[in-house]
């Protein structure tokens, strides 16, 4: 037994997202999401692929549940496709009973297998109807009403069967990658070589504001009309990488490292816990960052029952002397893999942005816990790709020791954060159960503990990490 530990009853399992695994885009009444549309634009997805088939999980729910059981998972975090439930998306559009029934059955099947469902309402796949009708997140009033309506449809459909609800997955990604760099759907950006429309200096901040208000409205709906009878909890999932100063002896780099955390995480975290945007963001962005009305503050402040934390890696941060560009979204700084002393933050993976640094996990969750007054955390994603994994022959690919080491390091760091630093963490979902559609990267980058044979009828093969992860939790979770 290692010295550090995770609390008794710790909820661990795996995470996925609807568009990344389901396929079946036209089945049972589903309509397009903005990702279906985005994938059709040539050049947007590295391998020209889409989520049309993906892991075919829409047809293989039993197989996926069997995989979860085999791994010993206690929980499964998955997202609902809004376009299956309300195909056109809006509060006056028809609800699709078939879409609802698919997920109701899935939740029942999970329970029958002894696996706790954790539902994400929105993992980036906005119904395209709402994008076309009014610009999606850019139209705050419409978007908030439609999201609240969709959330209510879900709360009603699943009632007491679901104890863990997540409103949004990583609103940073939808806002910045969707409205600033244009890498993600809906692909808007000021860069006219990439999109005919968009304003990177304003739209990401407007979208982010809409997400916050919509989160607050959905949480209020749950607390007012469902929580007492259904007994669940609701929160938001925020992404964030840890930051180390490029030169720890340069106060400007130390400050920039914190500013990066504020631009990436506190953008959403501060309004939810304090009712305001971080000063560093207001200072740089001025009135491009929307203001909260008193009614909005009342909705947003205090709107997390728990903090959903997605975390993968760390970077070195170097301040910039020059004035920030109008499209800057990181806080006027450089993000680097090597520091002044020549240390490398972590080994390469298949994802350019992902360098494992387990100690950063412990440091970040402690930083968040201190900043936000010791909230309850559920880690809602953590995992890694492997450099060159996709090019390996199957027998070698299944021996994913690098991923096993990643999980050992990160789960150990989490146990330290809990046992030594006193962080209140109660669950952990590894990303991901399956190799899946890795957004703009297509299928070349794999994050699964299960290999999915895209050329061989989507057959699933558990990797070594699928077995190892359970033994790691066994080691750390307190029995008494
Ligand atoms: C998660 O985001 C997602 O929730 C999940 O759907 C996804 O499959 C998983 O990561 C693995 O990627 O390309 O330089 O602009 C993780 C947080 C933040 C990581 C944005 C990628 C893009 C950096 N992501 N980041 S860049």
């Amino acid at each position: 037994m290692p010295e550090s530990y995770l609390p008794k009853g710790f909820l661990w399992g795996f995470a996925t997202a609807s568009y990344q695994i389901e396929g079946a885009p036209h089945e049972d009444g589903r309509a397009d999401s903005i990702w279906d549309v985005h994938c059709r634009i040539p050049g947007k997805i590295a391998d020209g692929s889409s989520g049309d088939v993906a892991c075919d999980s829409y047809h293989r729910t039993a197989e996926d549940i069997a995989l979860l059981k085999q791994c010993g998972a206690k929980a499964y975090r998955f997202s609902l496709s809004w376009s299956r439930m309300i195909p056109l998306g809006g509060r006056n559009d028809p609800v699709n009973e078939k879409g609802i029934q698919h997920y109701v059955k899935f939740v029942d099947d999970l329970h029958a297998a002894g696996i706790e469902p954790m539902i994400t309402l929105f993992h980036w796949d906005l119904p395209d109807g709402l994008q076309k009708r009014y610009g999606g997140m850019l139209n705050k009033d419409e978007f908030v009403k439609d999201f609240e309506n969709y959330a209510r449809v879900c709360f009603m459909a699943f009632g007491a069967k679901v104890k863990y609800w997540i409103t949004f997955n990583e609103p940073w990604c939808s806002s910045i990658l969707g409205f600033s760099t244009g890498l993600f759907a809906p692909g808007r950006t000021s860069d006219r070589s990439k999109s005919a429309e968009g304003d990177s200096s304003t739209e990401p901040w407007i979208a982010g504001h809409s997400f916050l208000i919509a989160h607050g409205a959905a949480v209020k709906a749950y607390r007012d009309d469902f929580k007492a009878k259904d007994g669940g909890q609701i929160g938001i999932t925020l992404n964030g990488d840890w930051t180390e100063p490029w030169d720890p002896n340069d106060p400007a780099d130390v400050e920039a490292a914190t500013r990066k955390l504020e631009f990436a995480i506190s953008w959403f975290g501060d309004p939810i816990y304090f009712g305001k945007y971080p000063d560093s963001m207001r200072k740089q962005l001025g009135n491009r960052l929307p203001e909260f009305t008193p009614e909005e503050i009342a909705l947003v402040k205090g709107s997390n029952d728990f903090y959903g934390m997605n975390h993968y890696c760390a970077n070195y941060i170097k301040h910039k002397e020059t004035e920030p560009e109008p499209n800057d979204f990181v806080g006027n700084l450089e993000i680097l893999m090597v520091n002044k002393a020549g240390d490398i933050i972590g080994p390469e993976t298949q994802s350019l942005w992902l360098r494992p640094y387990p100690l950063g996990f412990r440091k970040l969750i402690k930083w968040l816990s201190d900043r936000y007054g010791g909230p309850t955390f559920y880690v809602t994603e953590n995992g890694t790709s492997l450099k060159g994994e996709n090019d390996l022959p199957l027998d070698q690919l299944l021996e994913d020791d690098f991923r096993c080491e990643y999980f050992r390091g990160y789960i150990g760091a989490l146990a330290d954060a809990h046992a030594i630093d006193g962080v209140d963490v109660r669950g952990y979902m590894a990303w991901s159960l399956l190799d899946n559609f890795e957004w703009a990267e297509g299928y070349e980058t794999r994050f699964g503990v299960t290999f999915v044979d895209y050329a061989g009828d989507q057959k699933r093969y558990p990797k070594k990490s699928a077995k190892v992860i359970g033994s790691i939790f066994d080691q750390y979770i307190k029995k008494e």
Side-chain angles (χ1 to χ4, degrees), residues 17 20 77 123-124 169-170 172-173 177 181 183-184 239 241 310 312 351 353 381 431 436-439 447:
Q20 294 182 272
R77 171 179 179 243
H123 199 124
W124 309 347
N169 179 72
E170 304 187 345
W172 183 95
C173 288
L177 307 179
T181 66
L183 189 70
F184 280 10
N239 58 295
D241 309 330
N310 285 2
Y312 288 85
S351 313
W353 52 272
E381 282 178 33
W431 186 270
N436 59 45
F437 177 70
E438 180 54 12
W439 307 109
F447 271 86

Side-chain angles (χ1 to χ4, degrees), residues 115-356:
I115 297 163
E116 188 70 40
M118 180 181 274
I119 291 190
T120 309
L121 292 172
F122 182 94
H123 199 124
W124 309 347
D125 45 355
L126 181 79
D128 190 52
L130 302 185
Q131 188 67 39
K132 297 245 154 65
R133 196 177 292 163
Y134 57 69
M137 284 69 88
L138 294 180
N139 189 326
K140 179 182 70 184
D141 293 342
E142 291 296 321
F143 177 71
V144 168
K145 285 184 196 141
D146 284 341
F147 183 73
E148 184 191 329
N149 171 71
Y150 161 61
R152 282 181 179 277
V153 166
C154 299
F155 300 149
M156 226 140 21
F158 303 103
K161 293 173 179 177
V162 174
K163 301 292 179 205
Y164 302 93
W165 292 98
I166 291 156
T167 53
F168 293 105
N169 179 72
E170 304 187 345
W172 183 95
C173 288
S174 302
S175 306
I176 296 297
L177 307 179
F179 294 91
S180 182
T181 66
L183 189 70
F184 280 10
R188 294 173 65 91
T189 172
S190 289
D191 181 347
R192 289 290 163 261
S193 71
K194 296 205 180 107
S195 173
E197 287 178 86
D199 178 352
S200 304
S201 71
T202 55
E203 289 184 4
W205 315 114
I206 294 168
H209 199 72
S210 298
F211 280 123
L212 280 164
I213 314 305
H215 160 78
V219 170
K220 182 174 183 341
Y222 189 70
R223 287 179 178 167
D224 285 354
D225 296 334
F226 300 92
K227 197 177 161 86
K229 69 181 166 64
D230 294 340
Q233 306 173 48
I234 184 163
I236 196 168
T237 279
L238 303 179
N239 58 295
D241 309 330
W242 176 244
T243 57
E244 291 285 344
W246 181 77
D247 176 358
N249 297 316
D250 183 343
D253 284 351
V254 174
E255 203 182 299
T258 299
R259 195 162 66 244
K260 165 73 165 53
L261 296 177
E262 291 175 345
F263 269 71
I265 305 173
S266 313
W267 174 13
F268 300 99
D270 281 15
I272 289 172
Y273 289 94
F274 308 144
K276 69 189 277 291
Y277 285 121
D279 292 340
S280 58
M281 293 186 74
R282 180 63 67 197
K283 185 165 173 237
Q284 180 176 321
L285 302 170
N287 62 7
R288 288 187 281 133
L289 192 63
E291 298 280 353
F292 290 99
T293 65
E295 296 75 35
E296 289 176 347
I297 292 175
L299 266 184
V300 174
K301 191 177 172 187
S303 59
N304 250 1
D305 293 339
F306 61 84
Y307 184 112
M309 178 183 185
N310 285 2
H311 180 74
Y312 288 85
C313 58
N315 298 113
Y316 291 115
I317 302 297
K318 193 174 195 298
H319 77 281
K320 276 188 187 169
E321 298 283 357
T322 48
E323 281 297 299
E325 299 290 328
N327 64 354
D328 175 75
F329 55 80
V330 289
N332 202 33
L333 45 88
E334 273 181 89
I335 301 173
L336 301 162
M337 301 300 174
V338 182
N339 69 3
K340 190 181 181 190
D343 307 319
I344 298 168
I345 192 80
E348 283 184 277
T349 65
Q350 185 63 26
S351 313
L352 287 177
W353 52 272
L354 202 171
R355 301 290 190 111

Side-chain angles (χ1 to χ4, degrees), residues 409-466:
Y410 273 80
I411 296 165
L414 187 65
D416 289 345
H418 174 69
I420 303 170
D421 306 332
V423 170
D424 177 12
V425 57
R426 304 192 189 176
Y428 171 105
M429 306 298 134
W431 186 270
S432 180
L433 177 66
L434 304 163
D435 290 336
N436 59 45
F437 177 70
E438 180 54 12
W439 307 109
E441 298 288 308
Y443 293 98
E444 282 158 17
T445 303
R446 296 175 177 271
F447 271 86
V449 300
T450 310
F451 172 76
V452 177
D453 189 359
Y454 301 115
D457 192 34
Q458 282 33 47
K459 195 164 155 37
R460 283 109 161 100
Y461 300 82
K463 303 175 192 175
K464 190 192 260 184
S465 57

